[in-house]
Amino acid sequence: MKFDWVIVGAGFSGCVLAERIASQLGQRVLLIERRDHIGGNAYDYYNEHGILVHKYGPHIFHTKSKRVWDYLSQFTEWRHYFHHVLGVIEGKKVPIPFNINSLYALFPPRYAERLEEKLLENFGFGVKVPILKLRESANGELEFLANYIYENVFLRYTTKQWNLKPEELDRGVTGRVPVYISRDNRYFQDPYQAMPKHGYTEMFRRMLSHSNIKVLLNADYREVINDIKFDRMVYTGPVDTFFDYMHGELPYRSLRFHFETLDQEHYQEVGTVNYPNEYDITRITEQKYLSGQTSPKTTLVMEYPQAYVPGVNDPYYPIPREDNRERYDLYLKEAQRLNGSVIFVGRLAEYKYYDMDQAALRALGVFEKEIAQ
Ligand SMILES: Cc1cc2nc3c(=O)[nH]c(=O)nc-3n(C[C@H](O)[C@H](O)[C@H](O)COP(=O)(O)OP(=O)(O)OC[C@H]3O[C@@H](n4cnc5c(N)ncnc54)[C@H](O)[C@@H]3O)c2cc1C
């Protein structure tokens, strides 16, 4: 059998493109995935206690893009959900991103009030001030506050997460961590915030249930590709692997996930609690908040940041540093030499952190500009 397209990787990028090519162009797609399931890192499943869990860490859907929202809404109903995060700072749980409520949770009311006034005076209400900017521009009492937040909320969390000091990472990443001059405790402010009602995997299953799409699981494309007849390829795996590491390995940060189910209805007050300062974990997420299920049991997932070792664990976060980007550019040039016979899309193929909505938007854009015309 001949296929018009082989798509490597059944994550957000691969599934969106398979769906578009099959339904809009009427062309035949073979989707090859080396894991034993579709969905990539957004894969979820019901565990032995009937609780919907995210195998590769908590995935919260949020977007500003109506286009992405409308597109995905063809394949799922939604459960509206606002994610809340608390951080343990000096034994107290305070809203993250750090906001005015966090101030009052940590400091005596009079002092918190003074700091609030200073923040409003300097930046205005409703503004997100990157922590590094606050640190640079602050003086007097705000300088104390900026250093306090930097040390207690940002520095150790960042070091734990990346095993690098903030100055060893691109400012773009570290600069994004905001202090939010607001009383809004929601983790995101996007207009669309929701979880797929029946889970991500069910959403992907519906996307792929088209007669033009065949899915091959448990298969590394390199082991099967010589036996397949096809015209063009979309590749969503790691770009350095595709080119046999000819320019060296692109580094990633990995994670180990530890799941635990407790015989109690709830463990914590909100979906996620961050531990910037204590323990080896960065955060604990209680899955039931995300799915909205009721159960006498509850499942937690704890995240332990780790070095990425190819073949041993999974590549999760591209490490945002100038030297890594330069190495990626060498691979990009190799990819361009293939003149569109292979299209590289997604988090691993473009060595770029995408949220799910950004991955979907990018795939929709690639479909329009590089495939459909
Ligand atoms: C811990 C964590 C938490 C996250 N939380 C959020 C969140 O809360 N909200 C949000 O919007 N985004 C979140 N994300 C980002 C989200 O996971 C990505 O946006 C999304 O996974 C990108 O999809 P993708 O298809 O590009 O990549 P992937 O999902 O990684 O899919 C790539 C697929 O290619 C397969 N593959 C690779 N090589 C081969 C090969 N040789 N042969 C066959 N198959 C291959 C892989 O097995 C994988 O399934 C999170 C990411 C991580 C790591």
Side-chain angles (χ1 to χ4, degrees):
M1 181 189 292
K2 180 165 180 258
F3 293 91
D4 299 295
W5 292 86
V6 157
I7 299 184
V8 177
F12 248 95
S13 309
C15 287
V16 169
L17 282 166
E19 187 284 324
R20 288 288 85 184
I21 291 170
S23 73
Q24 303 302 300
L25 304 182
Q27 296 179 355
R28 297 175 59 81
V29 178
L30 177 65
L31 182 59
I32 305 177
E33 169 57 58
R34 76 171 160 207
R35 289 169 169 165
D36 62 0
H37 57 75
I38 57 171
N41 285 341
Y43 169 72
D44 53 15
Y45 66 99
Y46 290 92
N47 69 10
E48 66 271 37
H49 308 287
I51 293 169
L52 186 64
V53 297
H54 295 182
K55 182 167 181 178
Y56 305 99
H59 277 67
I60 320 300
F61 187 81
H62 59 101
T63 187
K64 293 183 177 54
S65 166
K66 182 168 184 319
R67 184 173 179 212
V68 168
W69 175 260
D70 288 344
Y71 172 72
L72 294 177
S73 298
Q74 298 175 73
F75 311 103
T76 187
E77 300 86 50
W78 299 97
R79 185 181 86 82
H80 293 284
Y81 171 69
F82 293 126
H83 194 52
H84 286 83
V85 177
L86 295 173
V88 179
I89 314 292
E90 295 187 330
K92 293 179 184 141
K93 286 183 179 165
V94 312
I96 300 288
F98 197 97
N99 65 19
I100 291 176
N101 294 327
S102 321
L103 271 185
Y104 282 85
L106 281 166
F107 300 115
R110 281 261 176 88
Y111 190 48
E113 211 172 300
R114 258 207 340 255
L115 292 171
E116 178 183 1
E117 274 166 21
K118 294 260 176 230
L119 283 173
L120 290 170
E121 233 171 74
N122 280 271
F123 302 102
F125 187 76
V127 177
K128 286 184 179 163
V129 187
I131 178 66
L132 296 181
K133 185 175 169 210
L134 180 66
R135 221 166 158 233
E136 275 159 19
S137 57
N139 50 39
E141 276 164 331
L142 278 192
E143 191 178 350
F144 158 78
L145 180 66
N147 287 334
Y148 181 91
I149 300 172
Y150 181 82
E151 290 284 330
N152 289 287
V153 182
F154 174 72
L155 178 64
R156 274 165 252 163
Y157 191 92
T158 304
T159 313
K160 225 194 276 190
Q161 175 81 350
W162 296 101
N163 197 29
L164 291 170
K165 297 195 193 92
E167 55 272 22
E168 293 174 304
L169 290 160
D170 276 1
R171 259 183 90 92
V173 188
T174 49
R176 270 206 297 274
V177 178
V179 174
Y180 189 23
I181 307 178
S182 160
R183 292 221 178 233
D184 181 352
N185 284 345
R186 296 173 307 162
Y187 194 65
F188 305 108
Q189 276 71 43
D190 290 344
Y192 303 99
Q193 303 189 42
M195 301 295 290
K197 196 164 182 180
H198 307 288
Y200 291 101
T201 307
E202 176 57 19
M203 179 181 80
F204 291 122
R205 197 192 59 73
R206 293 185 197 172
M207 288 168 89
L208 300 179
S209 65
H210 191 288
S211 55
N212 286 342
I213 302 175
K214 294 271 170 292
V215 180
L216 180 61
L217 297 177
N218 297 306
D220 188 313
Y221 84 100
R222 289 168 296 188
E223 287 160 13
V224 296
I225 201 72
N226 290 335
D227 300 325
I228 299 165
K229 291 197 186 76
F230 66 99
D231 289 333
R232 290 175 77 189
M233 178 186 274
V234 169
Y235 180 79
T236 74
V239 66
D240 54 357
T241 320
F242 185 91
F243 291 106
D244 287 327
Y245 303 103
M246 65 192 290
H247 298 299
E249 272 172 30
L250 287 168
Y252 286 89
R253 193 75 174 140
S254 190
L255 292 166
R256 179 169 72 81
F257 301 105
H258 173 72
F259 289 89
E260 209 166 308
T261 298
L262 305 177
D263 264 322
Q264 60 194 68
E265 210 172 324
H266 274 298
Y267 173 74
Q268 58 193 28
E269 304 83 337
V270 292
T272 296
V273 176
N274 284 2
Y275 292 85
N277 305 309
E278 293 87 10
Y279 316 122
D280 294 339
I281 52 170
T282 44
R283 56 183 186 170
I284 299 180
T285 297
E286 188 166 351
Q287 295 276 331
K288 265 179 17 179
Y289 282 103
L290 279 51
S291 65
Q293 290 169 285
T294 49
S295 162
K297 295 180 188 248
T298 193
T299 301
L300 313 176
V301 56
M302 293 148 207
E303 293 175 49
Y304 292 83
Q306 289 194 326
Y308 165 58
V309 184
V312 173
N313 51 16
D314 283 321
Y316 288 127
Y317 299 111
I319 299 180
R321 281 167 56 93
E322 191 53 39
D323 47 350
N324 298 341
R325 213 176 355 271
E326 280 166 13
R327 183 173 300 227
Y328 165 69
D329 284 343
L330 299 175
Y331 283 113
L332 181 60
K333 287 203 182 94
E334 301 298 336
Q336 284 160 348
R337 277 191 202 119
L338 299 178
N339 283 329
S341 59
V342 182
I343 299 177
F344 294 80
V345 196
R347 188 179 68 86
L348 299 165
E350 297 178 79
Y351 194 64
K352 183 170 180 190
Y353 182 82
Y354 284 124
D355 269 335
M356 293 179 283
D357 64 322
Q358 296 168 322
L361 195 61
R362 168 85 182 127
L364 291 172
V366 166
F367 174 73
E368 261 174 20
K369 293 194 188 97
E370 296 178 46
I371 294 180
Q373 31 127 313

